[in-house]
Amino acid sequence: SAVSNATYDVEFAISENVFEKTGYTFQYWTNLTDNVGYMPGDIVSNLTAEADGEVVLTAVWAANEYTVKYTDGDGHEAVSNATYDVEFAISENVFEKTGYHFTGWTNETDNVGYQPGEVVSNLTASGEYELTAIWAPNKYEVKYVANGGVGEDLYTTNTFDEAFNAAGADVFTKQGYTYNSWTNANGDVIAVGGECINLSTGDSVTLYAAWVANDYKLAYEPGAGEGVAITNDCVYDVEYVVSNKMFSRTGYVQAGWTNLAADVGYVFGQ
């Protein structure tokens, strides 16, 4: 409290406020007995006729309004208003961050965390209180599929924004083919091997082995006959016609071709 003296029939000015109340702003003075209000600087007299009496003027306070600013940490924000000593619920998250999920709010100044729906009050006495979204990177599953090759599907778990090595060429095999890359269902190349990052922003991604047919050479040799051997370039799984008679041997007629290693015979034009 603070005290000043006055004399009956002598005017004086009501004192300025010298008090503070956290979260509140001074409005005026009031006499609780007669419920009369006074502003600092008001010129008054004869507040009481009692000798050596006392008039008590009590400060009237108004609760401060303050702003709660929610930010995603990347320049986007939303604002709500609050009043000191009035409880309110922390807002739900309205932001998104690619590859991440929201886990709560934090005030980076005092390092205090809050959850949406949490009932709070008096986050600050005035001004603005900023809450920044806390984000955690998504974990996602990468499924590798043989796509016509041989081998069991392979699964790995990875974290958004963390690099990892994609499965290599030795995961699957395909007869007559060589691994080329990993693609999505549309055939778009997603990875070749080696270091990768952020293959999915959601829960999972499926990668399909892409295969390239092997090239090989088909050699025609005269065996016991006569003639110059020739070689044709071939591609696995691409059909071709077996060459017609090309060599000669005295006293013989060429009947066809044979692969001595596989003991398989072929006829002309096959």
Side-chain angles (χ1 to χ4, degrees):
S1 63
V3 176
S4 64
N5 296 317
T7 302
Y8 197 80
D9 273 345
V10 178
E11 291 183 336
F12 65 95
I14 296 293
S15 294
E16 296 295 324
N17 174 49
V18 295
F19 306 119
E20 292 181 353
K21 184 177 181 180
T22 300
Y24 286 79
T25 299
F26 173 81
Q27 301 296 297
Y28 58 90
W29 301 103
T30 185
N31 185 326
L32 297 177
T33 301
D34 56 19
N35 200 29
V36 176
Y38 304 91
M39 294 297 297
D42 280 356
I43 303 300
V44 297
S45 64
N46 304 342
L47 296 187
T48 180
E50 183 180 349
D52 296 325
E54 181 180 78
V55 175
V56 177
L57 296 182
T58 302
V60 177
W61 303 94
N64 293 337
E65 291 189 350
Y66 60 93
T67 299
V68 181
K69 182 169 75 173
Y70 300 87
T71 174
D72 66 350
D74 195 31
H76 303 96
E77 60 185 48
V79 174
S80 66
N81 295 318
T83 301
Y84 199 82
D85 271 347
V86 177
E87 291 184 335
F88 67 96
I90 295 292
S91 292
E92 296 294 326
N93 174 47
V94 295
F95 306 117
E96 293 182 352
K97 185 176 182 179
T98 300
Y100 287 75
H101 59 278
F102 173 83
T103 63
W105 302 103
T106 185
N107 180 281
E108 295 180 343
T109 301
D110 56 21
N111 199 31
V112 176
Y114 303 90
Q115 288 298 313
E118 184 176 342
V119 176
V120 297
S121 64
N122 303 348
L123 297 185
T124 183
S126 62
E128 181 180 86
Y129 191 80
E130 184 171 317
L131 293 177
T132 302
I134 303 171
W135 303 99
N138 294 337
K139 290 189 178 297
Y140 61 95
E141 180 183 80
V142 179
K143 177 182 179 182
Y144 299 88
V145 178
N147 193 29
V150 177
E152 295 293 327
D153 292 346
L154 174 67
Y155 297 85
T156 64
T157 299
N158 303 283
T159 302
F160 196 81
D161 270 349
E162 291 185 10
F164 67 97
N165 288 322
D170 57 346
V171 176
F172 305 118
T173 60
K174 185 176 181 180
Q175 181 175 312
Y177 287 78
T178 298
Y179 161 82
N180 176 261
S181 61
W182 299 106
T183 72
N184 60 20
N186 296 323
D188 303 317
V189 175
I190 303 300
V192 176
E195 188 171 283
C196 296
I197 193 170
N198 299 348
L199 297 189
S200 174
T201 60
D203 297 327
S204 63
V205 61
T206 300
L207 301 182
Y208 301 84
W211 304 97
V212 175
N214 294 335
D215 296 326
Y216 64 96
K217 295 184 180 299
L218 176 62
Y220 294 93
E221 297 180 349
E226 298 177 351
V228 178
I230 65 170
T231 300
N232 290 345
D233 292 326
C234 301
V235 178
Y236 195 82
D237 267 348
V238 177
E239 292 184 339
Y240 59 91
V241 177
V242 173
S243 181
N244 289 324
K245 176 181 178 181
M246 294 185 299
F247 302 118
S248 62
R249 181 181 179 186
T250 301
Y252 288 82
V253 174
Q254 184 178 345
W257 304 98
T258 186
N259 183 309
L260 297 177
D263 195 25
V264 177
Y266 302 90
V267 299
F268 302 130
Q270 181 177 341

